[in-house]
Amino acid sequence: MLNAATHYQLDYPDLALVLALVRGGTLARAAALLRVDVSTVFRAVRRLESSLGQVLFEKSRAGYLPTSLATTLAQQAERAEQALEAARVGVEQGGEVISGTVRLTCTDSVLQGLLLPALARFMPGYSALTLELSTSNDFANLSRRDADIALRLTRTPPEHLVGRCLGTVSYRVCASPGYAQQHDTQDLATLAWIAPDDFLPDHPTVAWRRQHLPGVRPSYRCNSMLSATELVRAGLGVAALPDFLLGEGHGLQPLGPALAGHDTALWLLTRPDCRALRSVVTLFDELGRHLRQPS
């Protein structure tokens, strides 16, 4: 809270000053961001702290460290910055602009194989929309309200979330072309296997391997399917990988058909309370159009 005794009225230049110093960390970097000289920034910070009656930054060898108040003001400044940018874009485009920040979570394999190509197609049309991305394998992000939208590979999405199924995702045993040439790929049990570790105990590929190759002990265990894919591409062994990570130019060679009865579904999910936010609804609908998988 601000010191009420000062009665100082913050304005946008004050917020821009704090944001620049938080982002830059030093007077020199803040001055470059604001396009003024270092002495101007120094005097402006001292003047603002005096007006507020509170310290905003602690000087250290590492630079200027923001206090909790400065961090809060910087967050508010970022929102003001986004609102101003949305207004500018709206004037330029002559219409309503979708703005704000949407937090999205997905696995690293979904990010690499599905989400990035989709974002490249439609996000340039939403210049005032900010997207915060995080990768994880669980649903806790939405439950804890750490995210607004999730893309998940599952047959049983949590009942407290709402969303839509975008289609089926199949898995195939794959190898690099070099590994396939050097080994007898007809006998899968004799190959070096790369598999999810205990962080993904119920993964469809784990269930398939336990059923069809119960004697196989993986040579490599990974906590993500993207890591498993990279090990396969490096020629270290074989793995059952999702079909969206395969295809021309990926350096992976399927060794057989899709694993029957062990596919999964791609779900686009959000919290019920997020359906009132235009930014979330807009991104949700765009993802639904661009990520639909063949069933």
Side-chain angles (χ1 to χ4, degrees):
M1 296 291 292
L2 298 181
N3 188 337
T6 66
H7 299 292
Y8 179 75
Q9 298 294 316
L10 280 168
D11 57 20
Y12 185 76
D14 294 328
L15 293 180
L17 170 68
V18 174
L19 181 58
L21 194 47
V22 169
R23 285 174 171 172
T26 67
L27 292 176
R29 294 195 190 101
L33 290 172
L34 295 171
R35 299 180 181 179
V36 298
D37 57 57
V38 172
S39 61
T40 298
V41 175
F42 177 76
R43 290 194 301 270
V45 172
R46 293 290 297 274
R47 185 167 53 250
L48 180 58
E49 289 180 328
S50 176
S51 299
L52 295 176
Q54 297 193 51
V55 175
L56 294 173
F57 295 91
E58 300 287 349
K59 185 71 170 67
S60 74
R61 291 184 178 180
Y64 278 68
L65 303 179
T67 63
S68 59
L69 174 58
T71 300
T72 299
L73 292 177
Q75 293 171 346
Q76 294 168 337
E78 285 187 325
R79 288 194 287 271
E81 186 179 64
Q82 292 168 0
L84 181 58
E85 178 61 21
R88 289 169 176 163
V89 173
V91 170
E92 292 173 1
Q93 297 181 354
E96 189 174 12
V97 175
I98 303 298
S99 63
T101 298
V102 180
R103 299 163 300 171
L104 188 152
T105 178
C106 64
T107 64
D108 53 4
S109 60
V110 169
L111 174 67
Q112 184 70 29
L114 294 174
L115 182 59
L116 292 183
L119 294 179
R121 289 194 291 271
F122 70 81
M123 276 301 287
Y126 296 95
S127 58
L129 186 64
T130 300
L131 185 59
E132 294 182 356
L133 295 170
S134 67
T135 55
S136 105
N137 291 296
D138 57 47
F139 293 101
N141 301 70
L142 265 71
S143 301
R144 295 193 307 262
R145 298 177 179 267
D146 293 336
D148 306 309
I149 295 176
L151 282 166
R152 288 290 180 256
L153 296 173
T154 181
R155 283 292 184 187
T156 55
E159 294 183 358
H160 66 280
L161 301 178
V162 295
R164 67 182 72 160
C165 179
L166 300 181
T168 299
V169 173
S170 300
Y171 296 87
R172 300 172 188 268
V173 178
C174 299
S176 69
Y179 187 90
Q181 290 177 0
Q182 297 170 12
H183 297 80
D184 177 12
T185 57
Q186 297 299 313
D187 188 358
L188 296 178
T190 65
L191 304 177
W193 275 83
I194 301 161
D197 62 13
D198 293 338
F199 192 71
L200 299 169
D202 301 320
H203 198 273
T205 64
V206 174
W208 177 88
R209 195 186 72 253
R210 288 173 177 168
Q211 178 181 343
H212 294 274
L213 301 169
V216 165
R217 294 177 60 85
S219 300
Y220 304 90
R221 294 183 182 273
C222 305
N223 66 354
S224 79
M225 293 306 294
L226 187 60
S227 297
T229 303
E230 292 305 314
L231 266 66
V232 173
R233 186 176 289 115
L236 296 175
V238 301
L241 303 173
D243 52 16
F244 58 77
L245 291 178
L246 311 181
E248 187 176 352
H250 285 72
L252 300 170
Q253 177 178 321
L255 302 181
L259 308 183
H262 291 83
D263 52 17
T264 189
L266 177 64
W267 278 86
L268 178 61
L269 301 162
T270 188
R271 305 192 312 270
D273 59 290
C274 285
R275 292 182 295 181
L277 303 175
R278 290 196 66 237
S279 56
V280 174
V281 171
T282 298
L283 182 61
F284 191 93
D285 290 342
E286 289 283 16
L287 290 172
R289 282 192 290 271
H290 288 86
L291 291 175
R292 186 163 297 280
Q293 299 294 293
S295 299

